Amino acid sequence: MSALDDVRARYRAGGLHGSLTPGRNPAIVVVDLQYGFTEAQYGPGFSLDDVVEATRSLLSVAREHEVPVWFTTIAFPTDGDGIGATWLTKMPALDGLRDGDRSVEIDERLEIRSNERLVVKQTASAFAYTDLAQQLRAAGVDTIFVAGATTSGCIRATIVDACAADIPAFVVRECVGDRERAPHDASLLDIDAKYGDVVSLDDALDFVRGLS
């Protein structure tokens, strides 16, 4: 048994690690796969090519089966820091992510479509100070599959808030990434134990295909 398996076993024995059941009206939420994160030339950026490619596969099948898609991007106003001043103090690398800059645009490899909604945020969570929860409910969404970056930051914050909003959330393992392996692995373990389910890309694709 690996060290992570041992932790999971102790969690289960302590009443953690329950399993969620996806509903029949899912959506895909792609968190912050904007150029500011997918290209290393930008302050917060790092190599996310594998994550982008896996997310392309997820989006392709979702679009084929008419599963709605939401994207998020971090963009601060050009004339100030908006509601994110404290976050910018902690992460000055984000300072260049300003309205109108290329860094806040969704990576073109994901081919965002005109009928897919974009939520602009200034906090880690896709739900904090946005109307994402209301949009999802208005569309009848009962489950979200989440992709994007970073696992220990915006992904984890989004899943915690999805749980608080009573929206079952599934993190697609191959579709999320982080700057370092340790926080990535620890965050997936913690999410899976307490707030959402971590699933493989194959399982997510099989579920979407099965909706037909």
Side-chain angles (χ1 to χ4, degrees):
M1 178 182 290
S2 71
L4 286 178
D5 287 337
D6 188 49
V7 172
R8 291 187 184 99
R10 292 200 302 273
Y11 277 179
R12 290 190 183 96
L16 285 71
H17 254 297
S19 295
L20 298 174
T21 301
R24 299 300 297 174
N25 297 295
I28 310 298
V29 177
V30 181
V31 178
D32 302 347
L33 289 184
Q34 59 197 88
Y35 288 120
F37 283 90
T38 64
E39 293 188 354
Q41 64 177 303
Y42 296 106
F46 59 102
S47 177
L48 279 168
D49 289 349
D50 290 346
V51 168
V52 170
E53 188 58 35
T55 303
R56 277 171 51 88
S57 298
L58 178 63
L59 290 174
S60 176
V61 173
R63 289 160 175 161
E64 179 184 349
H65 291 272
E66 299 183 347
V67 172
V69 177
W70 272 260
F71 287 85
T72 76
T73 186
I74 299 169
F76 295 95
T78 56
D79 58 353
D81 297 338
I83 60 174
T86 300
W87 196 22
L88 283 174
T89 300
K90 287 297 295 182
M91 278 194 69
L94 299 173
D95 188 63
L97 305 182
R98 299 287 174 173
D99 289 335
D101 191 81
R102 180 178 178 275
S103 63
V104 309
E105 297 176 8
I106 301 301
D107 192 306
E108 65 181 0
R109 291 174 290 178
L110 299 176
E111 300 177 320
I112 185 172
R113 299 183 175 183
S114 58
N115 66 329
E116 295 171 348
R117 280 157 278 196
L118 177 65
V119 174
V120 179
K121 64 190 184 73
Q122 295 160 10
T123 66
S125 170
F127 291 96
Y129 297 99
T130 75
D131 65 347
L132 177 58
Q134 292 92 327
Q135 289 188 37
L136 293 171
R137 290 194 178 97
V141 170
D142 58 15
T143 300
I144 58 174
F145 286 86
V146 180
T150 61
T151 316
S152 62
C154 296
I155 297 299
R156 186 181 184 282
T158 294
I159 301 303
V160 170
D161 280 358
C163 184
D166 208 21
I167 300 172
F170 294 78
V171 178
V172 185
R173 184 181 294 107
E174 294 89 339
C175 296
V176 295
D178 213 317
R179 297 174 185 85
E180 300 290 343
R181 189 74 197 185
H184 171 82
D185 289 342
S187 296
L188 289 181
L189 175 67
D190 191 61
I191 288 168
D192 204 36
K194 303 173 187 174
Y195 305 109
D197 278 14
V198 177
V199 299
S200 69
L201 175 60
D202 285 344
D203 284 348
L205 295 179
D206 286 346
F207 176 80
V208 172
R209 292 185 179 115
L211 294 171
S212 300

